Amino acid sequence: MRYFVFVFFFLINSVAFSQKAKVIDKQTGKVVKNVTVFNESLTINLSTDNNGFVDISSFKKNEIIIFSHISYAVLKLKKNTLQQQKFVVYLKKQSEQLDEVVLSVFKKAEKTKRIAEQIAVLSTKDIQKVSPQTSADLLATIPGIKVQKSQFGGGSPVIRGMESNRVLLVVDGVRMNNAIYRKGHLQNSISVAPNMLDKTEVVFGPSSVIYGSDALGGVIHYYTKTPKLSEEKEVISQLFSRFSSVNHEITTNVSAEVRFRDWASFTSISYSNFGDLKSGSNRNHGFVDWGKVYYYSENVNGNYNATPTLNSDVELLRNTGYNQTDILQKFYVPLSINTDLKINLQYSTSSEIPRFDRLTELKDITDTSSLKFAEWYYGPKNRLLISSQLLINPNKNWIDEGVITLAYQNIQESRIQRKFGSLERSYREENVDILSLNADFSVPLTKDKKRNLSYGLEFAYNNVTSNAYGKELNIVNGKINGFSNNFKVQTRYPDGGSSYMSSAMYVGYRQDLSSKSTLNSGIRFTNTHLEANWIDQTFIQLLDTKIKTDNSAITATLGYVYRPNKNWQINGVLSSGFRSPNIDDVGRVREKSGNVTIPNVNVAPEFAYNAEVGLQKYFNDRKFRIGGNFYYTLLNNYIQRDFVLDANGNKTKQLFDREEGFAVSNQNKGKAYVFGYTLNYLGKVSKTLNTSGFITYTKGRTLDTKEPMSSIPPLFGQFEMNYKNHKIELGADIRFNSKKDITDFNITEGIDNHDLTPIINANATNDIDKYYGSPSWMTIGLNGSYLVNNNFTVQARVNNLFDEHYVEFASGVAAPGRNLSVSFMANF
């Protein structure tokens, strides 16, 4: 009997005094070890074990328990609340306090209070609220980013006066930039559907120590959704659908997530169909005819029309519609308690995408019916990504955690052109295969993790195939009936094949010098190797038809974060970056605005040296923030497109598609600078109101030729206010853009499409007197959503409420007019 009583009391005490809580990552479903668990008086201090458990029996019933981990937002819970949750604790990457956890800066989770660089983060909720038609539209909402569009099916982000191959795009740890990412405007940011994104992070400035070549302006990192584990089998599916009035867009996204204890899967399929875009009709800029489409080409979808067609609605931008399909399949498999495997499959394809700015190009600017091109469109753009990512936590002296990413990408793109008055259609097709390997590791040098070492390596190999051919249309009774003849066409890139390889290694060191300051530093060595071979010399004759170039550079960064108190943060960064010429820089051939770009095998790397200061002031228990970032970037040996001169200093000419134009090429120049700032605020005004806003200013000039730099947007910004109460969310926003005077455009390069701005004197002999520049504009938008129940949400937005006609900086197509979009999201 005494033995029975002893056992009984032992079991009672075990239940009462041995209460174990399990801590889980809310995003992945995996247990979180080494979480510090303590009370407010700091009399109890515990940590979770390797299985994520911690014994909380020593805490009082109503006592607040604090869960803290460097990679997660701090969580405070009362013990009795925890008991109602069956002693399961879910940690999230962010909280109401503005101390987001960022992955992109150090390629590992780190809180913003330890990061010196200017960063921006858009969460899943932010993406859902914006409800963008494309990922380019999503980027346009981020403070400090301006997006250019040559056609509606595209979007070229501009960061700190840098664009295209000076901005690095990354998806799930794999760089999207490849050997044919060009200078000028690059429209590839749309090839990841916004509905597939878990979040997007932007690191501003030359972060080349971590990411290497191309990141002169910054890094845009897309993170797609990842499935998470569950103790019990779960199947979660979602349906999203949206209609937009301005271009009759219909987007549908279907996703399914399957969760098990030992593995998980996420599948997403997105399809968008965009009709022709309608521009705004309210012309406050004062230019009555600017941007109106009086004539258009009906030579699309296999149709033939010998002359331009009169447009019955001059504000309907014919030849802007297209469709796109995106597929994501991701598997998440924990191989052991310290090792996880992610398998990532992505495929994006589109219909033919009309190049609107070229299809509205005139042979005579005084004659709106003198269209130059009957056909100019991109063939289907295809992007394939297959990657495996191994996440390891061996807890060794030389490596605490790491990520190894092996990836293969295939990119296919093509360009089809034909001029009015000709039956000759040219085809230019490019194929790029990319194999890459990234290995990123980190290890704390002290037990308190105040000193951390990171290191890694990167390898990428690009193989480029370029093909071109011409076919003459056979027209019978006004219709295309096959082809009657073939003819030679100059390839866009070396026709004998080309390759580009980069390899790099880096080391980073981060230390908390005190409770108020953190030092970040790093150094990186990068080497690139380029080979190109030209065979056909029919149109362009080169002295060297086979080239091999090697370039290398050491770049470094030094960042300092000072936090004098809880509500202030001061950042300073000194950094350097470089961009090694790729296949596009060296070997591209194309024509635009009467200039023909030809190869220049002597192009050398360009370098950037950057200094920046950031200030942030927090209010309301760090739930509201105002801040500013100021930077100065010096470019050395910068690459600019310029005319090719003969021995007498005269412009040379080059034949392209049976027409002569002035020859230009990418050339190294001397020094240039870009200076700018972004002022912003963000946070909660009350429990139901939150607000955000920013203003961005950029100025860039060459120091050698005394010209404005290309890709420098005018002053722009956005302010918004949002209200949320239970099931209802309402919001309003104001977007604005100041004027960019024609004297602030780089006329030599012509990248910023100054010739598409309003004409003020058609008879002027120079472009400064002929064109106005980019007019200022302002739009107002409204949005709202209603949570019908836990599984169904309805959302509506009205953008450009007053139907303003405007054109984003350097764009070749007008922005959308008044647009009503209605969407719903259902969870099953």
Side-chain angles (χ1 to χ4, degrees):
M1 176 63 72
R2 277 185 291 177
Y3 176 75
F4 174 78
V5 172
F6 173 78
V7 172
F8 176 77
F9 278 100
F10 175 78
L11 293 174
I12 292 295
N13 288 332
S14 297
V15 174
F17 301 107
S18 180
Q19 298 170 319
K20 284 192 173 184
K22 188 175 185 179
V23 183
I24 294 175
D25 183 316
K26 187 170 184 180
Q27 185 178 19
T28 66
K30 286 204 70 177
V31 298
V32 185
K33 60 184 179 180
N34 299 324
V35 178
T36 303
V37 184
F38 56 95
N39 58 2
E40 291 182 311
S41 62
L42 301 180
T43 57
I44 302 175
N45 195 317
L46 307 169
S47 64
T48 57
D49 59 22
N50 288 336
N51 296 312
F53 286 102
V54 61
D55 188 343
I56 60 170
S57 56
S58 55
F59 292 90
K60 297 178 182 178
K61 182 178 180 181
N62 292 318
E63 193 169 14
I64 293 177
I65 305 175
I66 303 170
F67 297 84
S68 177
H69 191 283
I70 193 171
S71 298
Y72 299 88
V74 173
L75 178 66
K76 298 180 180 180
L77 286 174
K78 282 189 176 182
K79 185 177 179 179
N80 55 4
T81 302
L82 188 55
Q83 190 170 2
Q84 296 172 6
Q85 297 179 188
K86 298 181 181 179
F87 295 103
V88 178
V89 179
Y90 293 97
L91 294 186
K92 298 188 294 184
K93 297 290 185 182
Q94 57 185 343
S95 68
E96 284 190 333
Q97 293 184 329
L98 301 175
D99 56 352
E100 299 101 332
V101 174
V102 179
L103 299 176
S104 295
V105 178
F106 302 112
K107 291 193 176 179
K108 69 183 294 293
E110 189 57 80
K111 290 186 178 179
T112 54
K113 67 180 182 181
R114 300 183 79 199
I115 297 174
E117 287 85 354
Q118 179 189 354
I119 58 172
V121 182
L122 287 181
S123 66
T124 303
K125 288 185 178 179
D126 296 326
I127 297 170
Q128 290 174 351
K129 176 181 172 296
V130 174
S131 191
Q133 291 194 2
T134 69
S135 292
D137 297 332
L138 174 69
L139 297 177
T141 67
I142 297 176
I145 295 184
K146 174 61 69 175
V147 173
Q148 181 276 351
K149 291 187 178 184
S150 297
Q151 68 278 342
F152 190 67
S156 182
V158 181
I159 304 179
R160 293 188 173 184
M162 309 286 182
E163 189 180 0
S164 56
N165 55 20
R166 287 175 173 166
V167 172
L168 180 60
L169 299 180
V170 182
V171 58
D172 293 332
V174 179
R175 64 165 53 223
M176 297 174 66
N177 289 43
N178 58 56
I180 63 171
Y181 264 39
R182 61 186 175 273
K183 180 175 174 59
H185 307 305
L186 192 69
Q187 312 295 321
N188 298 53
S189 64
I190 67 169
S191 63
V192 181
N195 290 308
M196 296 179 177
L197 295 176
D198 179 54
K199 67 174 180 175
T200 298
E201 294 181 358
V202 181
V203 183
F204 293 80
S207 303
S208 292
V209 168
I210 299 297
Y211 289 99
S213 182
D214 300 340
L216 297 187
V219 179
I220 297 172
H221 201 147
Y222 294 127
Y223 291 91
T224 60
K225 294 176 180 178
T226 298
K228 64 180 180 180
L229 304 175
S230 176
E231 294 295 322
E232 299 178 357
K233 177 182 176 181
E234 292 184 74
V235 178
I236 299 172
S237 56
Q238 186 181 87
L239 171 64
F240 172 86
S241 187
R242 179 182 58 231
F243 170 79
S244 298
S245 62
V246 75
N247 57 350
H248 295 156
E249 174 227 13
I250 297 178
T251 289
T252 301
N253 176 262
V254 179
S255 64
E257 184 177 354
V258 182
R259 302 174 180 174
F260 297 94
R261 182 176 182 178
D262 299 324
W263 67 279
S265 168
F266 178 79
T267 305
S268 177
I269 301 174
S270 183
Y271 175 79
S272 296
N273 186 72
F274 306 101
D276 286 334
L277 184 70
K278 186 76 178 286
S279 64
S281 59
N282 190 357
R283 296 174 167 265
N284 284 321
H285 47 62
F287 298 100
V288 178
D289 295 322
W290 179 50
K292 289 181 178 179
V293 179
Y294 290 97
Y295 289 86
Y296 68 99
S297 173
E298 278 193 297
N299 293 271
V300 294
N301 300 321
N303 296 326
Y304 176 78
N305 205 319
T307 58
T309 302
L310 184 67
N311 191 5
S312 58
D313 183 350
V314 294
E315 286 163 353
L316 181 62
L317 309 184
R318 306 279 187 177
N319 297 321
T320 51
Y322 73 103
N323 63 67
Q324 180 171 322
T325 302
D326 295 272
I327 300 172
L328 169 66
Q329 174 62 60
K330 193 177 285 189
F331 296 99
Y332 179 42
V333 183
L335 302 179
S336 69
I337 193 170
N338 293 321
T339 308
D340 298 331
L341 176 66
K342 290 182 182 178
I343 303 295
N344 192 347
L345 308 173
Q346 299 179 23
Y347 180 69
S348 175
T349 186
S350 72
S351 64
E352 295 173 344
I353 300 178
R355 179 72 186 262
F356 178 80
D357 60 337
R358 305 305 302 272
L359 287 170
T360 53
E361 185 176 337
L362 300 176
K363 290 181 284 188
D364 179 0
I365 61 173
T366 63
D367 182 3
T368 57
S369 66
S370 64
L371 298 182
K372 181 176 181 179
F373 288 100
E375 300 177 42
W376 210 125
Y377 54 89
Y378 293 106
K381 286 193 171 185
N382 301 321
R383 181 183 70 90
L384 171 68
L385 167 66
I386 303 172
S387 75
S388 63
Q389 197 170 68
L390 196 66
L391 298 86
I392 58 175
N393 295 271
N395 298 315
K396 302 293 184 181
N397 291 333
W398 55 278
I399 175 173
D400 179 61
E401 60 180 275
V403 180
I404 302 172
T405 306
L406 178 65
Y408 166 77
Q409 296 180 81
N410 176 257
I411 310 297
Q412 297 175 357
E413 59 182 51
S414 59
R415 294 163 177 81
I416 296 91
Q417 299 170 224
R418 183 175 65 83
K419 296 172 184 174
F420 274 112
S422 172
L423 297 179
E424 294 183 344
R425 178 191 290 169
S426 64
Y427 299 79
R428 291 176 172 87
E429 300 171 344
E430 274 66 57
N431 184 88
V432 187
D433 293 295
I434 310 115
L435 184 65
S436 63
L437 173 67
N438 292 77
D440 304 287
F441 308 103
S442 64
V443 58
L445 302 179
T446 56
K447 290 184 178 180
D448 58 9
K449 297 188 177 183
K450 291 184 178 180
R451 296 171 57 209
N452 297 272
L453 180 72
S454 59
Y455 57 95
L457 57 88
E458 179 184 67
F459 171 82
Y461 177 79
N462 292 243
N463 184 69
V464 180
T465 303
S466 187
N467 184 36
Y469 55 93
K471 291 181 177 293
E472 186 174 340
L473 303 185
N474 184 37
I475 306 301
V476 178
N477 297 325
K479 295 183 179 180
I480 300 174
N481 184 21
F483 303 96
S484 61
N485 191 25
N486 297 327
F487 59 94
K488 276 190 175 183
V489 172
Q490 171 66 48
T491 59
R492 183 175 176 86
Y493 299 114
D495 57 328
S498 54
S499 64
Y500 181 82
M501 181 176 68
S502 66
S503 55
M505 60 181 66
Y506 72 89
V507 177
Y509 175 73
R510 185 170 67 260
Q511 178 179 349
D512 290 331
L513 302 176
S514 68
S515 61
K516 295 184 177 181
S517 63
T518 301
L519 177 71
N520 301 313
S521 61
I523 189 168
R524 179 186 181 105
F525 173 76
T526 304
N527 177 263
T528 64
H529 177 77
L530 181 150
E531 294 186 12
N533 181 23
W534 287 268
I535 298 175
D536 192 337
Q537 301 283 294
T538 302
F539 303 101
I540 297 177
Q541 292 76 42
L542 300 174
L543 294 177
D544 298 317
T545 58
K546 291 185 178 181
I547 64 165
K548 293 183 180 180
T549 63
D550 289 278
N551 294 302
S552 59
I554 295 177
T555 54
T557 186
L558 182 66
Y560 181 72
V561 181
Y562 178 59
R563 303 172 294 275
N565 56 50
K566 177 184 176 182
N567 296 321
W568 276 97
Q569 181 169 324
I570 304 171
N571 304 329
V573 179
L574 296 174
S575 59
S576 63
F578 95 112
R579 190 181 72 81
S580 185
N582 61 17
I583 301 299
D584 186 271
D585 293 303
V586 172
R588 177 171 54 158
V589 179
R590 70 106 187 226
E591 180 276 336
K592 184 182 178 184
S593 302
N595 294 329
V596 180
T597 303
I598 64 173
N600 179 9
V601 299
N602 298 312
V603 182
E606 55 183 353
F607 294 83
Y609 305 95
N610 179 71
E612 61 183 279
V613 175
L615 301 172
Q616 296 182 45
K617 168 65 175 175
Y618 293 86
F619 304 89
N620 190 22
D621 191 28
R622 292 178 65 88
K623 294 177 182 178
F624 189 88
R625 172 184 77 206
I626 61 173
N629 291 87
F630 307 83
Y631 67 91
Y632 180 91
T633 301
L634 178 68
L635 292 170
N636 186 37
N637 214 35
Y638 70 92
I639 299 174
Q640 177 175 291
R641 191 179 306 144
D642 205 347
F643 292 100
V644 178
L645 307 179
D646 61 19
N648 298 319
N650 299 316
K651 297 178 183 178
T652 60
K653 290 194 172 183
Q654 175 64 52
L655 187 68
F656 183 89
D657 285 358
R658 309 201 187 251
E659 284 189 11
E660 237 183 7
F662 289 110
V664 297
S665 66
N666 291 318
Q667 304 170 20
N668 289 105
K669 300 294 183 178
K671 291 181 172 61
Y673 74 88
V674 180
F675 162 78
Y677 60 81
T678 294
L679 306 177
N680 63 83
Y681 64 88
L682 170 70
K684 286 182 172 290
V685 178
S686 67
K687 289 184 177 180
T688 57
L689 288 176
N690 65 76
T691 182
S692 66
F694 72 89
I695 295 176
T696 295
Y697 170 81
T698 315
K699 180 180 180 179
R701 296 192 70 87
T702 63
L703 296 174
D704 50 352
T705 61
K706 308 300 181 183
E707 292 179 290
M709 288 285 289
S710 297
S711 301
I712 304 296
L715 181 79
F716 67 97
Q718 177 176 307
F719 304 111
E720 63 177 293
M721 179 72 75
N722 297 285
Y723 168 83
K724 182 178 181 180
N725 188 9
H726 301 297
K727 295 184 176 184
I728 297 177
E729 290 188 42
L730 300 173
D733 63 76
I734 297 175
R735 298 177 63 235
F736 62 91
N737 205 111
S738 67
K739 177 191 175 184
K740 181 170 175 121
D741 194 82
I742 190 63
T743 57
D744 292 325
F745 281 77
N746 186 306
I747 305 297
T748 301
E749 274 197 303
I751 284 177
D752 294 334
N753 293 322
H754 66 275
D755 54 340
L756 298 182
T757 66
I759 299 172
I760 55 176
N761 184 2
N763 297 318
T765 57
N766 64 79
D767 287 355
I768 294 293
D769 296 327
K770 182 180 293 185
Y771 298 101
Y772 174 81
S774 179
S776 62
W777 55 265
M778 183 182 73
T779 66
I780 295 175
L782 303 173
N783 65 83
S785 67
Y786 179 69
L787 181 65
V788 179
N789 54 49
N790 291 333
N791 296 318
F792 194 84
T793 303
V794 178
Q795 182 175 352
R797 296 184 66 90
V798 179
N799 295 320
N800 195 0
L801 181 63
F802 297 108
D803 201 30
E804 296 288 335
H805 178 271
Y806 68 100
V807 178
E808 289 279 12
F809 164 69
S811 292
V813 60
R818 183 188 297 114
N819 179 40
L820 170 64
S821 69
V822 179
S823 61
F824 72 86
M825 184 169 61
N827 298 307
F828 304 98

